[in-house]
Amino acid sequence: MRQFPPRRIVCLTEETVETLYLLGEQDRIVGVSGYAVRPPQVRREKPRVSAFISADIPKILNLEPDLVLAFSDLQADIVAELVRAGVDIHVFNQRDIAGILAMIRTLGALVDATGRANQLAASYEQRLARIASAVRPAAKPKVYFEEWDDPLISGIGWVSELIEIAGGEDVLPKLRFQKAAKDRIVSPDACAPRRRM
């Protein structure tokens, strides 16, 4: 029998884990990604059931989740297997700051914590606005953010946005619009330091 709000949630990525803890809804979590490290107690409190693109499907099914939370097309194979097993899934696909804030609000609605989720998202919006309005030197540091090292993959869209909010300049700003990691693969020359003339 399906529950609302769900009482047994498996999180296949770390951002939903951290958000549920921030909302005070961590008791709903019954399994997490091996990459979940925030808050620190999650590694002691919750069983690990997945990496990023692989998962222990029998272990997940044994946890009898009401809901599994996933992220992006990279987890499509895991999601398909769980859907075939009759598990309810919600797949997020946040790629920019607006998407992150929407994920927080949507997750809040899914666990019947809409008010707390709206407050959390609003607090992030206010913090980002304060940081963006801070007075800074005219020269902006040029930043390359490496999401992965082999092959070299530049940062996802929200990383580029955060660099700019913090007063930096992304050295590969056009790649922020590439949603798939494979489309953000760069050569070492593309991210090498450039001398100012």
Side-chain angles (χ1 to χ4, degrees), residues 109-175:
L110 287 171
V111 298
D112 201 23
T114 302
R116 282 176 279 146
N118 285 336
Q119 288 174 348
L120 180 62
S123 73
Y124 287 144
E125 289 169 324
Q126 292 162 4
R127 268 172 71 187
L128 291 172
R130 279 194 307 272
I131 293 166
S133 66
V135 177
R136 297 187 173 86
K140 294 181 177 183
K142 295 188 179 295
V143 178
Y144 165 69
F145 182 91
E146 187 174 284
E147 185 175 307
W148 199 255
D149 65 346
D150 188 17
L152 288 177
I153 299 175
S154 69
I156 196 167
W158 59 263
V159 171
S160 186
E161 288 179 278
L162 289 177
I163 289 168
E164 292 173 1
I165 288 169
E169 181 181 337
D170 188 344
V171 298
L172 301 168
K174 291 181 182 174
L175 292 182

Side-chain angles (χ1 to χ4, degrees), residues 66-114:
D66 301 313
L67 178 65
V68 172
L69 301 172
F71 171 75
S72 91
D73 59 309
L74 293 174
Q75 295 189 327
D77 292 339
I78 300 167
V79 167
E81 198 165 342
L82 291 169
V83 167
R84 284 192 288 272
V87 177
D88 284 349
I89 310 271
H90 187 95
V91 181
F92 290 102
N93 205 20
Q94 68 274 7
R95 304 294 178 147
D96 55 19
I97 292 173
I100 292 170
L101 298 171
M103 179 275 294
I104 292 168
R105 290 181 168 110
T106 300
L107 184 52
L110 287 171
V111 298
D112 201 23
T114 302

